[in-house]
Amino acid sequence: MDAPKNLFVTRPALPPLSEFIPLVEKIWASRIVTNFGPYHVQFIDGLRQYLGVEHISLVTNATVGLMLASRALGLTGEVITTPFSFVATGHALLWAGLKPVFVDINPNTLNIDANRIEAAITPLTSGIMAVHCYGRPCDVEAIEDIAKRHNLRVIYDAAHAFGIQHKGRSVLNFGDHAVLSFHATKVFNTLEGGAIVSRSVEAKLRIDRMINYGIVDEQTVESTGFNAKMSELTAALGTVQLRHIDSYIEQRRQIDVRYRQLLVNIPGLHFVHPPEVAPSNYYALPILIGAEHHRSRDELYFRLREHNVFARRYFYPLVSDFPMYAEPQGREPVMPFARSVASRVLCLPMFPDLTEGEQQRIADVIRS
Ligand code: T4K
């Protein structure tokens, strides 16, 4: 008998190739292939409308976006952040020459616990980099209040937060900058890519120069900028993906509903997000495996792998546990909630074309 098909934690949603090819032909004919060409402009317009944000700059990926946003804001010294994220969040700070200071998470939202931020502020703190983990909004009002009172800048790592609304407006409108990822693994993807959302036209202009070596004009360079420009091919793909994003999210919603039916009443298996939490983009399907489950989280992870189901422990280990973040002995941050969640979390396959049969297969392995 053939081995069952590999089911990965995610699979990029791609539009019909026939929709993309005519755009590639136009790019080939025009020879305008990068440096803020017509598809770049068109993609920005589409995103502004879809997301409900004013000022957007396109970048090659979110990691570089986070790094450049930190530089553009002139952050120095220490930046308060969450340990429960993909390693890119911390790495972007290190690349910007900053020291990440890790603060524990709220065990319900898995986002940085705003109530613990003030205790971590020192005279060296210049900013906060918070993550809307799995697309669930941070406590943006509390963070804004703290930032105002302590004169700190705020960057949201919104890699997971495409299309997320908070109290009737885009969550991307909070903070000095919010940074999206359009990586293949994301709800909205352009293979690689990302965007930086700015609060003002001046801030956007600073970012636009920052992603183009700091160039103002042929004779003027205002900052030590970088090259983070999105190519025309990527931007063109983005314009096509925008036509399909609503259906991708709807398919994800249906998968989320089915998982909750298939995995109901399993002792020790808890969904991170209650079903009533809305609106979501259904970026991931994180579950927590507690002591009452008949397997540990890692036993379940390996059991699924034996059946060709490649669930992932996002985010384990904690960012703060990687060697480049090590603190001298006795000065390690104490973060019991983040540590506990990292030891129990498992993200199940979640992508638009996951079939009912495949979901049943995953549920059968978990129950067996
Ligand atoms: N901030 C946060 C909070 C993030 O989660 C991320 C990225 C970033 C910042 C940085 O964003 P970017 O700089 O990437 O724009 C993946 C992604 O590479 C990464 O973008 C993502 N977060 C992270 C959560 O997941 P890996 O190393 O776990 O990916 P990988 O290659 O193991 O892929 C996961 C599964 O996806 C594979 O098992 C199969 C499937 N897959 C993957 C790719 C790349 C495909 O089916 N096709 C593909 O082309 O990091």
Side-chain angles (χ1 to χ4, degrees):
M1 209 174 79
D2 289 344
K5 179 181 156 191
N6 288 340
L7 293 177
F8 296 108
V9 67
T10 185
R11 190 165 187 258
L14 295 175
L17 200 50
S18 57
E19 287 187 30
F20 184 45
I21 295 297
L23 279 59
V24 176
E25 285 170 351
K26 273 196 185 154
I27 292 169
W28 248 240
S30 75
R31 301 290 167 108
I32 304 293
V33 297
T34 185
N35 288 12
F36 314 107
Y39 281 110
H40 190 109
V41 174
Q42 194 181 320
F43 186 29
I44 287 182
D45 278 350
L47 285 171
R48 286 177 63 229
Q49 275 180 38
Y50 186 86
L51 296 172
V53 298
E54 201 55 42
H55 309 292
I56 287 200
S57 310
L58 302 175
V59 288
T60 44
N61 60 66
T63 310
V64 156
L66 291 167
M67 185 183 112
L68 294 182
S70 306
R71 289 289 293 258
L73 290 172
L75 299 189
T76 57
E78 299 176 358
V79 174
I80 293 172
T81 189
T82 169
F84 192 72
S85 184
F86 190 58
V87 71
T89 312
H91 278 9
L93 291 172
L94 290 188
W95 271 95
L98 300 162
K99 176 175 165 52
V101 172
F102 295 101
V103 164
D104 207 356
I105 58 170
N106 173 321
N108 296 318
T109 64
L110 310 194
N111 291 328
I112 193 166
D113 185 346
N115 292 322
R116 293 170 194 271
I117 290 177
E118 282 193 282
I121 295 175
T122 75
L124 296 178
T125 310
S126 62
I128 300 169
M129 186 176 281
V131 179
H132 301 303
C133 190
Y134 310 131
R136 190 147 171 199
C138 289
D139 190 347
V140 286
E141 286 86 7
I143 291 174
E144 195 154 294
D145 176 55
I146 295 167
K148 254 197 203 132
R149 283 189 287 107
H150 295 270
N151 191 27
L152 304 177
R153 307 277 81 77
V154 178
I155 299 172
Y156 284 106
D157 177 339
H160 305 170
F162 191 90
I164 297 285
Q165 300 275 312
H166 175 71
K167 297 187 180 162
R169 54 194 280 234
S170 169
V171 78
L172 305 171
N173 285 317
F174 292 86
D176 293 283
H177 292 292
V179 179
L180 288 160
S181 170
F182 303 153
H183 183 262
T185 53
K186 297 296 178 280
V187 170
F188 178 91
N189 88 83
T190 57
L191 313 187
E192 290 276 3
I196 304 177
V197 176
S198 303
R199 280 291 268 278
S200 65
V201 70
E202 295 77 25
K204 173 182 155 54
L205 189 61
R206 219 168 21 246
I207 294 284
D208 285 344
R209 289 173 178 167
M210 201 72 162
I211 64 184
N212 189 33
Y213 320 96
I215 291 176
V216 177
D217 58 42
E218 284 184 22
Q219 296 186 83
T220 322
V221 175
E222 72 166 11
S223 64
T224 319
F226 206 72
N227 177 5
K229 289 171 274 107
M230 181 179 279
S231 83
E232 282 292 276
L233 274 183
T234 308
L237 178 57
T239 64
V240 180
Q241 288 286 51
L242 276 176
R243 301 176 196 159
H244 298 273
I245 182 63
D246 283 338
S247 79
Y248 296 157
I249 293 175
E250 172 55 20
Q251 284 169 288
R252 286 174 177 273
R253 189 191 66 74
Q254 290 174 16
I255 291 165
D256 183 282
V257 169
R258 272 203 299 272
Y259 265 126
R260 289 171 198 277
Q261 292 161 354
L262 289 167
L263 302 177
V264 74
N265 291 337
I266 299 183
L269 186 154
H270 310 281
F271 289 91
V272 166
H273 299 148
E276 68 273 16
V277 167
S280 173
N281 60 15
Y282 309 95
Y283 164 63
L285 201 290
I287 55 172
L288 296 177
I289 302 299
E292 325 85 86
H293 194 63
H294 59 286
R295 294 192 182 93
S296 69
R297 188 276 309 271
D298 285 351
E299 283 166 357
L300 178 57
Y301 167 81
F302 287 112
R303 170 94 181 146
L304 285 163
R305 286 180 78 97
E306 283 166 21
H307 290 264
N308 293 2
V309 176
F310 297 89
R312 292 291 288 269
R313 293 167 288 190
Y314 292 130
F315 293 101
Y316 163 84
L318 296 176
V319 178
S320 47
D321 284 345
F322 291 115
M324 57 296 288
Y325 299 95
E327 291 284 357
Q329 230 186 355
R331 301 227 337 246
E332 302 93 346
V334 183
M335 299 177 295
F337 290 122
R339 213 160 277 296
S340 162
V341 170
S343 70
R344 291 181 291 135
V345 73
L346 194 63
C347 288
L348 298 180
M350 167 53 96
F351 49 86
D353 51 5
L354 185 68
T355 66
E356 285 189 51
E358 289 165 344
Q359 276 193 280
Q360 184 68 56
R361 211 182 102 201
I362 295 164
D364 289 345
V365 179
I366 293 173
R367 283 188 182 275
S368 66

